[in-house]
Amino acid sequence: MDIARLTEVTAQNLEYAVKLAQKMVQTPSLSGQEKELAELTRQTMEQLRFDEVYIDEVGNVIGRIKGRGGGRSVMFNCHLDTVAAGDPAAWKYPPFAGVIADGALWGLGASDTKAAFACQIVAAAALKEAGMLPTGDIWVVGVVHEETSGFGSRYLAKKLAPDVVILGEASDNQIKIGHRGRMQFDIYFKGKSTHASVPARGVNPHFAAARLLLQIERLKMQADPFFGESSVAPTLYVTDQTSSNVTPGQVVLSLDWRNIPGETEENIRRRLEQVVAECLIPGVTARIELKMRDVGCYTGYKGVAPAGEPSFATPPDDPIVLAVQQALAAVFNREVSIGVCGFATDGGHFRAEGSKVIIFAPSEERYCHTTEDSVSIEKMREAILGNMALALCLGAENC
Ligand SMILES: [Zn+2]
């Protein structure tokens, strides 16, 4: 790897990348409304001479730069969508202005994941432009609906699961290799409603739910040396009544379950079934449902997906992780740490299809989804350099 040349190419492309990230921030892209940003991405990739660019039926933008042949395929993956801005007055700089100040780009989605995406697109194109293509193909994709359900990546992973996926979620230019997952289980307790003056005529499901709450508080969770413990938290509690003088016929208790890698939906469901069965009282039945949500894409495509994200883990001693760490340390001329992500991402969808997944991006977790959403331009420079090094190293026949 010619580090001096990569550093030079990075310097030539930084300004373009910052402008592109700025344009992305200026293009609102709530989940389900990513069309304009998808079009901007497609045009940009075409202008930058990607070999293939298309938008799939759910609205993901997929760009490909062909390698020289052989080698691993590498996908750089970011999401197009953002959460809502909330009250614009609460922002340090207006959320859609794309202000550049204090050495950073500011605005909604800058850190999650627009600046990272610009750095990925530009790095891939720059390698082609500079005649430094790796042997393997480079894919750069912008997916829809990450914030709601990971629907874009769920859909894409079934069609395109390359050897390695570099996910552009906040890592502060270090490496993250996995995270806990999130699932929502809704427990429906069904009893018999009655007037509150004669409770004995009904069967009140509150009492079964209360027993379950006490059990949940004591539940022994699974643990992993790297990812810590899984956790479960009761969150919503809804009854089918609006009057305070009628007992409910049904209550629904929602559990937010953060699973560690290896703890599957099946495992959790079996444990819950056991605990719930112990909490039933005569006349009350229960059923457990994994919460699903409807997803509507800007293309008109409709689907459903679990309300949550799967966990994933790439072992810290995996040769790919070590190669990534070495490549980044070499071009950054500093130590690069390996850690886990505090939040959930789209990584698990690709891991489930056999890809190895690494998280690498210039943004910092502490600014994501905040009114101080921003990314340091110096870190963007480092990320362009890092992305090029990763494409070259991972795309080689042997690295
Ligand atoms: Zn994100």
Side-chain angles (χ1 to χ4, degrees):
M1 211 158 45
D2 184 345
I3 297 176
R5 178 90 179 100
L6 287 179
T7 306
E8 187 190 348
V9 171
T10 299
Q12 289 159 1
N13 284 279
L14 178 61
E15 193 186 326
Y16 184 94
V18 173
K19 288 222 170 89
L20 175 58
Q22 182 181 43
K23 245 189 279 173
M24 288 176 167
V25 169
Q26 289 164 346
T27 309
S29 56
L30 288 174
S31 307
Q33 299 170 34
E34 304 94 338
K35 184 170 201 267
E36 208 187 325
L37 182 57
E39 284 301 337
L40 169 69
T41 304
R42 173 170 37 194
Q43 280 165 20
T44 303
M45 286 177 169
E46 282 168 357
Q47 278 161 12
L48 292 175
R49 296 176 51 240
F50 274 61
D51 295 304
E52 185 186 355
V53 186
Y54 63 96
I55 293 181
D56 68 12
E57 63 178 336
V58 304
N60 298 320
V61 191
I62 295 135
R64 177 189 186 194
I65 289 181
K66 284 190 198 142
R68 289 179 285 115
R72 291 192 195 87
S73 54
V74 177
M75 175 194 284
F76 290 92
N77 177 311
C78 276
H79 55 90
L80 299 170
D81 59 324
T82 70
V83 293
D87 176 12
W91 286 71
K92 179 163 177 181
Y93 296 103
F96 300 108
V99 169
I100 292 170
D102 319 320
L105 167 67
W106 297 78
L108 176 64
S111 36
D112 186 22
T113 51
K114 293 181 174 181
F117 195 31
C119 293
Q120 292 180 341
I121 294 169
V122 167
L127 283 178
K128 180 176 180 184
E129 176 70 22
M132 299 171 81
L133 285 175
T135 46
D137 283 356
I138 308 173
W139 298 89
V140 186
V141 306
V143 299
V144 297
H145 268 299
E146 188 271 348
E147 298 287 0
T148 58
S149 56
F151 189 73
S153 278
R154 275 179 208 277
Y155 178 91
L156 181 62
K158 299 250 186 273
K159 319 221 158 205
L160 177 64
D163 296 319
V164 183
V165 173
I166 309 289
L167 213 58
E169 294 280 357
S171 82
D172 199 11
N173 285 344
Q174 309 287 345
I175 302 167
K176 302 216 170 146
I177 53 167
H179 51 68
R180 300 190 307 170
R182 181 174 65 94
M183 287 178 226
Q184 179 182 331
F185 289 95
D186 291 334
I187 323 284
Y188 290 76
F189 289 99
K190 206 166 174 358
K192 185 169 172 247
S193 171
T194 184
H195 195 272
S197 64
V198 281
R201 281 192 204 154
V203 184
N204 196 325
H206 279 317
F207 297 118
R211 285 170 167 80
L212 180 64
L213 283 169
L214 293 175
Q215 292 286 338
I216 293 290
E217 193 183 13
R218 290 194 285 266
L219 209 58
K220 177 98 180 76
M221 304 309 287
Q222 289 197 32
D224 174 281
F226 213 72
F227 291 89
E229 280 200 349
S230 56
S231 62
V232 56
T235 52
L236 303 176
Y237 190 68
V238 182
T239 89
D240 62 352
Q241 297 298 325
T242 50
S243 312
S244 62
N245 61 354
V246 180
T247 69
Q250 177 175 272
V251 296
V252 186
L253 173 64
S254 298
L255 300 177
D256 176 299
W257 197 295
R258 305 286 163 140
N259 61 315
I260 55 174
E263 187 183 23
T264 65
E265 182 199 330
E266 265 316 295
N267 298 153
I268 298 169
R269 188 182 281 276
R270 248 181 282 128
R271 287 197 73 193
L272 277 177
E273 276 166 1
Q274 215 172 18
V275 183
V276 168
E278 288 164 16
C279 299
L280 292 182
I281 52 178
V284 173
T285 58
R287 88 172 187 274
I288 302 166
E289 275 186 16
L290 180 71
K291 172 82 174 170
M292 304 290 285
R293 63 192 295 167
D294 294 323
V295 181
C297 299
Y298 72 82
T299 54
Y301 190 96
K302 289 196 189 323
V304 286
E309 302 83 15
S311 61
F312 85 88
T314 308
D317 56 354
D318 188 287
I320 291 284
V321 175
L322 299 176
V324 164
Q325 189 181 30
Q326 252 173 30
L328 292 180
V331 290
F332 295 164
N333 195 25
R334 63 163 167 85
E335 303 234 311
V336 174
S337 67
I338 297 174
V340 299
C341 215
F343 52 92
T345 72
D346 272 352
H349 308 307
F350 291 95
R351 185 71 203 102
E353 301 301 325
S355 304
K356 298 217 168 147
V357 182
I358 306 279
I359 296 173
F360 170 74
S363 36
E364 298 172 63
E365 195 171 336
R366 62 183 164 145
Y367 296 131
C368 296
H369 299 200
T370 74
T371 54
E372 288 184 30
D373 197 343
S374 56
V375 177
S376 144
I377 286 165
E378 168 52 23
K379 286 185 181 177
M380 287 181 69
R381 187 195 64 76
E382 209 180 45
I384 296 169
L385 180 62
N387 286 334
M388 287 197 290
L390 292 183
L392 285 175
C393 155
L394 296 169
E397 279 143 89
N398 47 3
C399 86

